[in-house]
Amino acid sequence: MSKVNLPTSMKALIHNFRAESLKLTPVDLPTPSPTEHLLRVHAVTLSAGELTWERPEDLNESVPGVDVAGEIVTSPPKSRFRPGDHVYARTQFPRPGSAREYTLVLEHELALKPSNITTVEAATVPMSAETAWQSLFVQAGFSAPENGKKPEENASKRVLVTGASGGCGIWLVQLAKAAGLYVVGTCGPSNKQFVLDLGADEVLDYSEIGPKAWAAADETRKVDLAVDCVGGKSLEEAWTAVKDGGLVLTIVPTPGYTDPEKPSEGVGKDVTGRFFIMTEDGKQLEKCTRLIEAGTCRPVVDSVWKFDDWEKALEKVNGGHARGKVVLQIYE
């Protein structure tokens, strides 16, 4: 695709923060800076809660959709990515997102799309996979898988994932298993076999038993790390399932974006808790690409919607029971 073929306008989903409204409307094409890549958007993923993310006071109108897959149209002269490359990325908020026909992406956010999955599948990966990677191998400090090998030092380590069938939970389970960790996941009854198929060693059906009762029944079940993807009661119970000196991570925004409050009872000695927000990292995404191409990990698409059906897609996201990610297909 050459620059001379570019239209002068495009469709974009515009979010008005103060009015709490969304509309699909024609806008001008974005103009890339000297460090930005212009991307023809093929697919974008909508994420739960992103319309309420904390933002600068002067930012009212914005474009949602931080997970994107598409084709590079123009690139900076020194970029390792060239026009025609099929790529995917998690772009940094509060820069404009990618629920639009063309978008702008920085080099450090990008990775080449895995060769063995579709563009729609690729759009579901970046934020969830990078969040899971950083939870396990940065925040918790476990050794990451290398060249298809599971680090021996991880063999005795145990991880609990709440919301294991959700967008991030899917990647936490798969990456933890790829790294040789023992994985316990929580989910509803309809997703139990699905989470087992992802690689979990144990699955707790939250309609029958929660992490607190499960761990209390046998102290040896306690985990080194609990990653909470749900918040509320799930987070509270996760604390009690962690062994002495262990770590509780939550990716669910807390009041004031502070670290989660430790329950007053039932928590092991020196257990710490932390809330964190992932940072976009194309190098980490490349490592996930290799795991996808090796067949070790796979993306999961809940549903795919045409751009004009964005309202139905958002309803599915906000319903809270998606298995995997909800995708808008912008270009077919």
Side-chain angles (χ1 to χ4, degrees), residues 185-246:
T186 74
C187 64
S190 63
N191 286 319
K192 188 171 182 178
Q193 188 57 51
F194 168 69
V195 175
L196 286 169
D197 291 342
L198 289 173
D201 297 283
E202 292 185 57
V203 178
L204 309 182
D205 173 356
Y206 61 66
S207 69
E208 296 180 351
I209 190 170
K212 183 177 181 178
W214 170 79
D218 183 349
E219 284 286 319
T220 65
R221 291 174 171 175
K222 288 194 171 184
V223 299
D224 301 275
L225 170 70
V227 186
D228 169 62
C229 305
V230 181
K233 184 180 179 181
S234 289
L235 171 58
E236 184 178 343
E237 291 208 4
W239 280 94
T240 65
V242 176
K243 63 179 63 173
D244 292 352

Side-chain angles (χ1 to χ4, degrees), residues 88 114 117 121-122 124-133 136-137 161 163-178 198 285 287-289 291-292 296-300 324-325:
Y88 64 154
I117 64 173
E121 290 172 319
T124 70
V125 174
M127 182 166 66
S128 293
E130 290 174 53
T131 301
W133 187 279
L136 296 167
F137 310 129
V161 179
S165 62
C168 187
I170 286 167
W171 281 95
L172 281 161
V173 171
Q174 292 186 97
L175 289 177
K177 198 62 185 173
L198 289 173
L285 189 56
K287 293 177 180 179
C288 295
T289 297
L291 290 169
I292 294 170
T296 304
C297 298
R298 62 183 174 92
V300 179
K325 286 297 193 80

